[in-house]
Amino acid sequence: MLLAAYQYKFGRNIEAMSRHLIDDVAVGWDELGTDLLDDAPPALVTALTGGEHWPSRTLDHLITPDGSPPVRMSVTDTTADEQDVQWGYVLHKEGVEVISLLHEDIGPIVSWSTDPRTAFNDHPAAWSVLDSPPAMRASRGRQPQSGPAAAPAKAGAPRPAARR
C-alpha cells in the first residue's frame, strides 16, 4: 500500500508523503486505510484490497492512565517490544526500508518504482538486510499475497493494514 500511495496519492513526492504519515499525525496511526490509494487506478486498488475500502484511523482516542494528553509514539529498540511492534518502515528517497523487528535492526529497501502488486514473502526472517527484498513472482490472474511492504499483518481487523 505504501508503494501505491507514494506513486499515486503523493505523486512520487517523498516529502509530501512523510508530512502526511509522520509530521501531520499527533500521536500515531491505528490503521492506514484505502484513502492512501486515492488517485490510483481502480484495478490496482482492487488488486491490493480485494475491493474493500476503509479509512485511515489515527490514535486520537487514547486516554492515558493519569489523564494527561497522549504524546507522539516513538518506536525505539527499547519500546518496540512494549508496543508489540513487529514491522518497521523507514521512508528513504530511494524506497521504503522494511524492517522485521523480530529479527533485524535494519532491513532491505524496496524501491519506490516497484510495482505495488508485487507479492512479497511475509515471513519476518525473509527480510534480512543482507538480501534483496523477498519478492515472489505472481502468476497471471492470481492476486498477489499481502506482505510487509504492502500491508503488514497484526491488526485487530482481518483486512490488511499498513502501520508505521
Side-chain angles (χ1 to χ4, degrees), residues 5-162:
Y6 171 80
Q7 294 172 10
Y8 295 97
K9 179 176 179 86
F10 299 104
R12 299 184 178 272
N13 182 330
I14 192 67
E15 288 82 16
M17 185 174 180
S18 297
R19 220 175 7 263
H20 176 79
L21 292 175
I22 300 165
D23 300 335
D24 292 347
V25 65
V27 177
W29 291 99
D30 185 29
E31 179 174 25
L32 295 177
T34 57
D35 50 302
L36 287 180
L37 302 177
D38 289 353
D39 300 324
L44 176 60
V45 175
T46 298
L48 295 178
T49 69
E52 291 186 47
H53 296 276
W54 64 93
S56 294
R57 295 180 297 151
T58 59
L59 291 169
D60 56 2
H61 56 280
L62 297 178
I63 300 172
T64 61
D66 65 359
S68 63
V71 295
R72 179 181 290 273
M73 295 174 65
S74 296
V75 179
T76 65
D77 289 340
T78 306
T79 63
D81 285 339
E82 297 166 5
Q83 295 176 15
D84 194 30
V85 176
Q86 296 181 359
W87 294 98
Y89 304 91
V90 180
L91 306 179
H92 296 278
K93 288 185 181 194
E94 65 274 12
V96 58
E97 180 180 1
V98 180
I99 306 168
S100 165
L101 297 176
L102 300 175
H103 295 278
E104 301 282 341
D105 292 329
I106 58 176
I109 294 178
V110 177
S111 170
W112 289 123
S113 63
T114 302
D115 184 333
R117 293 169 291 217
T118 301
F120 290 96
N121 183 332
D122 63 355
H123 191 280
W127 289 85
S128 168
V129 73
L130 301 175
D131 302 319
S132 298
M136 303 181 301
R137 296 230 180 245
S139 61
R140 280 222 185 280
R142 186 178 138 239
Q143 275 193 344
Q145 299 171 355
S146 63
K154 185 73 178 171
R159 62 183 176 251

